[in-house]
Amino acid sequence: MHISEGVLSPAVLGAGAALAALGVATGLKRLDYDRLMTVAILSSAFFVASLIHVPIGPASAHLVLNGLLGVMLGWAAVPAIFVALALQALLFQFGGLTVLGVNTFTMALPPVLCFYAFRPMLSGPSRLRGGAAFACGFLSVGASALLTAAALALSGEEFSAAARALLLAHVPVMFAEGVVTALVVSFIARVRPEMLAFTSTAHG
Amino acid sequence: MLDEPFSRGASRLHLADPRCKLVAALAFAVCAALLRSPGPAALALLTGAALCLWARLPLPRLLRRLAAVNVFVAFLWLFLPFSLPGAPLLRIGPFPGLPDWLAPNWLSLTATDAGVAQALLVTLKSNAIVLAFIALAGTSDITAVGHAVARLGLPDKLALLLLFTWRQLHVVAQEYHRLRTAAKVRGFTPGTDLHTYRTYANMAGMVLVRSFDRAERVGQAMRLRGFAGRFHMLAEPAGRPGDRLLAAVIILCAAALLAADILQPLAGLP
Amino acid sequence: MSTATTPPNSGQPHNCAHAHAHDHAHGHGHPHPHPHSHSDDDATPPLAAVQDIHFTYSGSAEPVLRGASLALRPGRRIGLLGHNGSGKSTLLHLLMGLLRPQSGRVLHRGVPLVSETRKTREADFVPLRREVGFLFQNSDDQLFCPTVLEDVAFGPLNHGASPAEARAVAEATLERLGFAGFGSRVTHRLSGGEKKMIALAAVLAMQPQALLLDEPTNDLDPHTRDRLIAILAAHSPTHLIISHDWDFLAHTCDSFLTVQDGAVRTATHTPHTHVHTHTGGDVHHHHG
Amino acid sequence: MSTATTPPNSGQPHNCAHAHAHDHAHGHGHPHPHPHSHSDDDATPPLAAVQDIHFTYSGSAEPVLRGASLALRPGRRIGLLGHNGSGKSTLLHLLMGLLRPQSGRVLHRGVPLVSETRKTREADFVPLRREVGFLFQNSDDQLFCPTVLEDVAFGPLNHGASPAEARAVAEATLERLGFAGFGSRVTHRLSGGEKKMIALAAVLAMQPQALLLDEPTNDLDPHTRDRLIAILAAHSPTHLIISHDWDFLAHTCDSFLTVQDGAVRTATHTPHTHVHTHTGGDVHHHHG
């Protein structure tokens, strides 16, 4: 899912960096100091969850859970994902400085959209919760894969085949993400329902 | 998993001010990312390797990290050679002996010199940037990098978020590791089934719930020590003299590579 | 499961007075033979054993274990002593295959799982883990299902039981431990003592031949502690317990080992008397 | 800070023998007056106090505290006993303003912070929290800064010290506790014992008048435990310690309270003797 350094065109890198900067700035502005520690602790939990590899047939994929992260953190998800990607770059050298912007944008835009689309359904006493949670996981990973593929395809004609293959490879991952997100939400709803009502930002 | 194998060492690069190293790493990465021809890209790779050599990084671990990075590069090698027009180097198909449904026309591919050159360029650039990044950013521990981020003038909230996330990551990771161990002891073997997915979801959910509860306790601990909505940073001692010079030299090298890349076609060189 | 049988060469069970009682004296007037020795030459191989284990945690200079050996034989009820950091928990983790030693052997019914000559794979430990149940020190690390029933059914499900079978086993186990009707409770909201008992139920539901218990009485209220003693007496013929709680060990074990200087030794039966007078004698306390 | 002074009406400090020693006897041959009573009519008001507290956790049917009162006076070194779930930690959280009681009062030097007649705000507790330091049961909850120096300087910085002052105070505190040179260490790489000591340093750097310690010896190796006893003897004239570790309390406290049935009671000085004979007497153990 992470594009490595040295692949994308300057225009795509620049646009990604600018959009990510805008998102991070918005997220930080809405995050007050009182909730900063809570957001940090939840981000570390999401980071650890993303280290879980679930088997999908003969292959395996690591969890992303970025849709759920977005539902819980709102706009604060953008700086949280930026930090997580920076830590991944420092720890595992996945991604890197120049692609940090593009990767942040592709991973963080769907969660913010999920926040507006699914938050009411997940935190309310809704019968739709399971379906909404599945959609949240399924769509956010799908949208991230789509944006990543777009970033590749926009970098040059020669990348379009790779971009299509990347998108195709993510279809089983989308289903796995949807199922696991629905199960995680059901776990939280049963064990600690207050958590689904947590707001990380002062206004939305 | 969460260790920082390259951060311990006593080389000149290890001792340098992380601010200078970060700026140098960023400049190098940007310049290298803009390269378009293999010559300067190869030189960039050499520069990255030289920096790693200077930092005396442990080679086996370095190679293991590089291998992980090159998984994406290898994925691109499956497509790039066949995706640009040029002089054919290798032809796969068409398969006249096989029925059409087994080997349709579009399966016949042609690798071109331009396609291979593009794949090679991406490989060189990617590895060059990663090597320089490990040598420059990896030789400070993440705590030092977080402080450097704040002192470089980036928003302090961002630096605090990085530092606190990193601090808590270890607590949460240990917690998850213990949960996984407990599942293993009770005979859990993952497979592609709902039981496996449910188990992983429960573990992820438990990690989240316990983190949420911990956030409450940490918040209390902060309030008891007088926290009132404002973090105060301690002043850090300045870096060693010469660190800025070091950064400047690396940035100049990177800029020179970029200049060579731009001027090369103008000079009519191959 | 049958109740504990006293192994032929073990010591007398310590039927010592309960900690509530004052002026109790328990112990042996006479020194008697070692109740347990890991070089026993019984005919049948032990259920599980470690032999001449050396282990150092990565990143640490100091080895934790230097030639430790231990054997768990059916019918043995062993108390394992030693101060914090002496390597007791490490030893149990090595026995269960959760850690790999730098040298030494781990055996299951005489079959080596870890040895100098073979490459150990995770799957090798599956049969041993089926037969030996492990109760973790911190119940929170062991309980990750939303409800009690799901947690207790987790082990049977992993061992291939159908959902209906697993549910039946889980319900029967809960009832046997006196927690009938707890099935639908949310595990995370249980009290510390309840969590410990549910964690034990989850282990017992796998019908192990033997139990390893790591500090089971930490943070237990006196009522739950008494209940645990009764359950172990009724349902655990073979076990090894790490504990600081002397009184608990005296109630549940009949031989005693200790980890000292990285090796397992027989805890010698030196009778020594603490005359112990203190305030708060009306408050329940363990001499643990 | 000065060393401990014995308050006028407190009991004799228990200079009991160390747990290593065998055949030690300590205690009082005669019953003597209660060393502490929360209805003391001293002239000066206590540093901090709770009065007639009733408290039930939300979502729980059972009240934890039903009329609990407790006063912390300068020079007192109180051990607080009671089994798990009895409400000891809850009481300390109420005293520090981390929880609000359903009824009852919380006072700081005689000034009510919580009472029936006033609306309590978070800021009301700032002066009390400046004077009373709280050591959490789990050090990881308390050490949230990336480096040791930042963590120890966190309190002083919040109390308005300049970065240079805070750094100086933090370094001096670390040196005082024998952790000079630890400042640049990364918190998450510390051992469990080190974390506990750094958390204590972080509390002491705020120069509190009194300390509340919640189960400080859980999971502490014997060396760190001894070090903690020495530090408390040298630097903590007034404190209240929740612990199950009797031996630790005997070394660090001179009066003992207990929470029973939702109320605080004086732990009566009933001398009672345990004649305690057991195996493994050669292994270090606490009668804690």
Side-chain angles (χ1 to χ4, degrees), chain D residues 14-30:
Chain D
H14 288 231
N15 287 315
C16 83
H18 190 268
H20 276 286
H22 295 158
D23 288 318
H24 62 265
H26 55 86
H28 315 276
H30 56 284

PDB file of all heavy atoms in Angstrom, chain D residues 14-30:
ATOM      1  N   HIS D  14       7.606   0.653  64.042  1.00  0.00           N
ATOM      2  CA  HIS D  14       7.948  -0.771  64.103  1.00  0.00           C
ATOM      3  C   HIS D  14       9.325  -0.979  63.533  1.00  0.00           C
ATOM      4  O   HIS D  14       9.503  -1.088  62.337  1.00  0.00           O
ATOM      5  CB  HIS D  14       6.981  -1.565  63.224  1.00  0.00           C
ATOM      6  CG  HIS D  14       5.625  -1.636  63.808  1.00  0.00           C
ATOM      7  ND1 HIS D  14       4.957  -2.809  63.964  1.00  0.00           N
ATOM      8  CD2 HIS D  14       4.824  -0.682  64.303  1.00  0.00           C
ATOM      9  CE1 HIS D  14       3.782  -2.557  64.506  1.00  0.00           C
ATOM     10  NE2 HIS D  14       3.681  -1.274  64.706  1.00  0.00           N
ATOM     11  N   ASN D  15      10.315  -1.011  64.374  1.00  0.00           N
ATOM     12  CA  ASN D  15      11.624  -1.302  63.834  1.00  0.00           C
ATOM     13  C   ASN D  15      11.803  -2.805  63.751  1.00  0.00           C
ATOM     14  O   ASN D  15      12.657  -3.394  64.383  1.00  0.00           O
ATOM     15  CB  ASN D  15      12.705  -0.678  64.702  1.00  0.00           C
ATOM     16  CG  ASN D  15      12.733   0.822  64.513  1.00  0.00           C
ATOM     17  OD1 ASN D  15      12.666   1.298  63.384  1.00  0.00           O
ATOM     18  ND2 ASN D  15      12.791   1.557  65.594  1.00  0.00           N
ATOM     19  N   CYS D  16      10.972  -3.415  62.940  1.00  0.00           N
ATOM     20  CA  CYS D  16      10.978  -4.861  62.924  1.00  0.00           C
ATOM     21  C   CYS D  16      12.174  -5.370  62.141  1.00  0.00           C
ATOM     22  O   CYS D  16      12.744  -4.674  61.312  1.00  0.00           O
ATOM     23  CB  CYS D  16       9.689  -5.414  62.340  1.00  0.00           C
ATOM     24  SG  CYS D  16       9.680  -5.474  60.576  1.00  0.00           S
ATOM     25  N   ALA D  17      12.530  -6.550  62.445  1.00  0.00           N
ATOM     26  CA  ALA D  17      13.680  -7.164  61.794  1.00  0.00           C
ATOM     27  C   ALA D  17      13.383  -7.350  60.328  1.00  0.00           C
ATOM     28  O   ALA D  17      12.239  -7.407  59.904  1.00  0.00           O
ATOM     29  CB  ALA D  17      13.979  -8.510  62.439  1.00  0.00           C
ATOM     30  N   HIS D  18      14.403  -7.410  59.567  1.00  0.00           N
ATOM     31  CA  HIS D  18      14.216  -7.586  58.142  1.00  0.00           C
ATOM     32  C   HIS D  18      13.746  -9.004  57.838  1.00  0.00           C
ATOM     33  O   HIS D  18      14.042  -9.935  58.564  1.00  0.00           O
ATOM     34  CB  HIS D  18      15.535  -7.311  57.423  1.00  0.00           C
ATOM     35  CG  HIS D  18      15.332  -7.235  55.962  1.00  0.00           C
ATOM     36  ND1 HIS D  18      15.470  -8.320  55.156  1.00  0.00           N
ATOM     37  CD2 HIS D  18      14.956  -6.211  55.181  1.00  0.00           C
ATOM     38  CE1 HIS D  18      15.203  -7.968  53.925  1.00  0.00           C
ATOM     39  NE2 HIS D  18      14.894  -6.682  53.905  1.00  0.00           N
ATOM     40  N   ALA D  19      13.040  -9.107  56.757  1.00  0.00           N
ATOM     41  CA  ALA D  19      12.441 -10.401  56.424  1.00  0.00           C
ATOM     42  C   ALA D  19      13.465 -11.502  56.198  1.00  0.00           C
ATOM     43  O   ALA D  19      13.175 -12.670  56.328  1.00  0.00           O
ATOM     44  CB  ALA D  19      11.587 -10.263  55.181  1.00  0.00           C
ATOM     45  N   HIS D  20      14.693 -11.116  55.884  1.00  0.00           N
ATOM     46  CA  HIS D  20      15.715 -12.129  55.709  1.00  0.00           C
ATOM     47  C   HIS D  20      15.981 -12.887  57.001  1.00  0.00           C
ATOM     48  O   HIS D  20      16.257 -14.072  57.006  1.00  0.00           O
ATOM     49  CB  HIS D  20      17.033 -11.478  55.271  1.00  0.00           C
ATOM     50  CG  HIS D  20      17.100 -11.241  53.822  1.00  0.00           C
ATOM     51  ND1 HIS D  20      17.292 -12.233  52.915  1.00  0.00           N
ATOM     52  CD2 HIS D  20      16.978 -10.086  53.104  1.00  0.00           C
ATOM     53  CE1 HIS D  20      17.322 -11.723  51.703  1.00  0.00           C
ATOM     54  NE2 HIS D  20      17.123 -10.430  51.788  1.00  0.00           N
ATOM     55  N   ALA D  21      15.965 -12.136  58.071  1.00  0.00           N
ATOM     56  CA  ALA D  21      16.344 -12.725  59.352  1.00  0.00           C
ATOM     57  C   ALA D  21      15.284 -13.727  59.789  1.00  0.00           C
ATOM     58  O   ALA D  21      14.102 -13.532  59.594  1.00  0.00           O
ATOM     59  CB  ALA D  21      16.488 -11.636  60.397  1.00  0.00           C
ATOM     60  N   HIS D  22      15.731 -14.768  60.361  1.00  0.00           N
ATOM     61  CA  HIS D  22      14.800 -15.775  60.859  1.00  0.00           C
ATOM     62  C   HIS D  22      14.631 -15.618  62.366  1.00  0.00           C
ATOM     63  O   HIS D  22      15.416 -14.961  63.037  1.00  0.00           O
ATOM     64  CB  HIS D  22      15.328 -17.174  60.527  1.00  0.00           C
ATOM     65  CG  HIS D  22      15.368 -17.409  59.051  1.00  0.00           C
ATOM     66  ND1 HIS D  22      16.154 -18.339  58.460  1.00  0.00           N
ATOM     67  CD2 HIS D  22      14.693 -16.774  58.052  1.00  0.00           C
ATOM     68  CE1 HIS D  22      15.978 -18.296  57.164  1.00  0.00           C
ATOM     69  NE2 HIS D  22      15.106 -17.351  56.880  1.00  0.00           N
ATOM     70  N   ASP D  23      13.620 -16.253  62.835  1.00  0.00           N
ATOM     71  CA  ASP D  23      13.320 -16.201  64.264  1.00  0.00           C
ATOM     72  C   ASP D  23      13.264 -14.784  64.799  1.00  0.00           C
ATOM     73  O   ASP D  23      13.704 -14.507  65.913  1.00  0.00           O
ATOM     74  CB  ASP D  23      14.358 -17.012  65.060  1.00  0.00           C
ATOM     75  CG  ASP D  23      14.153 -18.499  64.845  1.00  0.00           C
ATOM     76  OD1 ASP D  23      12.981 -18.926  64.851  1.00  0.00           O
ATOM     77  OD2 ASP D  23      15.135 -19.193  64.654  1.00  0.00           O
ATOM     78  N   HIS D  24      12.779 -13.868  64.011  1.00  0.00           N
ATOM     79  CA  HIS D  24      12.629 -12.511  64.538  1.00  0.00           C
ATOM     80  C   HIS D  24      11.256 -12.371  65.176  1.00  0.00           C
ATOM     81  O   HIS D  24      10.283 -12.957  64.747  1.00  0.00           O
ATOM     82  CB  HIS D  24      12.825 -11.472  63.443  1.00  0.00           C
ATOM     83  CG  HIS D  24      11.827 -11.550  62.327  1.00  0.00           C
ATOM     84  ND1 HIS D  24      12.088 -12.240  61.179  1.00  0.00           N
ATOM     85  CD2 HIS D  24      10.585 -11.059  62.194  1.00  0.00           C
ATOM     86  CE1 HIS D  24      11.058 -12.161  60.373  1.00  0.00           C
ATOM     87  NE2 HIS D  24      10.124 -11.445  60.967  1.00  0.00           N
ATOM     88  N   ALA D  25      11.226 -11.651  66.195  1.00  0.00           N
ATOM     89  CA  ALA D  25       9.945 -11.357  66.840  1.00  0.00           C
ATOM     90  C   ALA D  25       9.856  -9.859  66.986  1.00  0.00           C
ATOM     91  O   ALA D  25      10.785  -9.218  67.411  1.00  0.00           O
ATOM     92  CB  ALA D  25       9.878 -12.013  68.208  1.00  0.00           C
ATOM     93  N   HIS D  26       8.779  -9.289  66.548  1.00  0.00           N
ATOM     94  CA  HIS D  26       8.610  -7.851  66.766  1.00  0.00           C
ATOM     95  C   HIS D  26       7.178  -7.591  67.160  1.00  0.00           C
ATOM     96  O   HIS D  26       6.277  -8.322  66.803  1.00  0.00           O
ATOM     97  CB  HIS D  26       9.002  -7.045  65.522  1.00  0.00           C
ATOM     98  CG  HIS D  26       8.292  -7.450  64.280  1.00  0.00           C
ATOM     99  ND1 HIS D  26       7.072  -6.962  63.937  1.00  0.00           N
ATOM    100  CD2 HIS D  26       8.636  -8.333  63.313  1.00  0.00           C
ATOM    101  CE1 HIS D  26       6.687  -7.505  62.791  1.00  0.00           C
ATOM    102  NE2 HIS D  26       7.622  -8.342  62.396  1.00  0.00           N
ATOM    103  N   GLY D  27       6.985  -6.539  67.864  1.00  0.00           N
ATOM    104  CA  GLY D  27       5.620  -6.237  68.272  1.00  0.00           C
ATOM    105  C   GLY D  27       5.614  -5.629  69.651  1.00  0.00           C
ATOM    106  O   GLY D  27       6.657  -5.349  70.234  1.00  0.00           O
ATOM    107  N   HIS D  28       4.471  -5.432  70.152  1.00  0.00           N
ATOM    108  CA  HIS D  28       4.285  -4.719  71.397  1.00  0.00           C
ATOM    109  C   HIS D  28       3.759  -5.704  72.398  1.00  0.00           C
ATOM    110  O   HIS D  28       2.783  -6.381  72.148  1.00  0.00           O
ATOM    111  CB  HIS D  28       3.286  -3.592  71.224  1.00  0.00           C
ATOM    112  CG  HIS D  28       3.540  -2.828  69.994  1.00  0.00           C
ATOM    113  ND1 HIS D  28       4.451  -1.829  69.928  1.00  0.00           N
ATOM    114  CD2 HIS D  28       3.043  -2.982  68.754  1.00  0.00           C
ATOM    115  CE1 HIS D  28       4.488  -1.361  68.690  1.00  0.00           C
ATOM    116  NE2 HIS D  28       3.641  -2.049  67.958  1.00  0.00           N
ATOM    117  N   GLY D  29       4.402  -5.764  73.508  1.00  0.00           N
ATOM    118  CA  GLY D  29       3.912  -6.662  74.542  1.00  0.00           C
ATOM    119  C   GLY D  29       2.589  -6.172  75.113  1.00  0.00           C
ATOM    120  O   GLY D  29       1.798  -6.945  75.627  1.00  0.00           O
ATOM    121  N   HIS D  30       2.350  -4.880  75.030  1.00  0.00           N
ATOM    122  CA  HIS D  30       1.136  -4.337  75.636  1.00  0.00           C
ATOM    123  C   HIS D  30       0.307  -3.634  74.575  1.00  0.00           C
ATOM    124  O   HIS D  30       0.843  -3.002  73.681  1.00  0.00           O
ATOM    125  CB  HIS D  30       1.512  -3.349  76.728  1.00  0.00           C
ATOM    126  CG  HIS D  30       2.402  -2.261  76.207  1.00  0.00           C
ATOM    127  ND1 HIS D  30       3.749  -2.448  75.935  1.00  0.00           N
ATOM    128  CD2 HIS D  30       2.129  -0.981  75.871  1.00  0.00           C
ATOM    129  CE1 HIS D  30       4.275  -1.331  75.482  1.00  0.00           C
ATOM    130  NE2 HIS D  30       3.313  -0.414  75.423  1.00  0.00           N
TER     131      HIS D  30
END
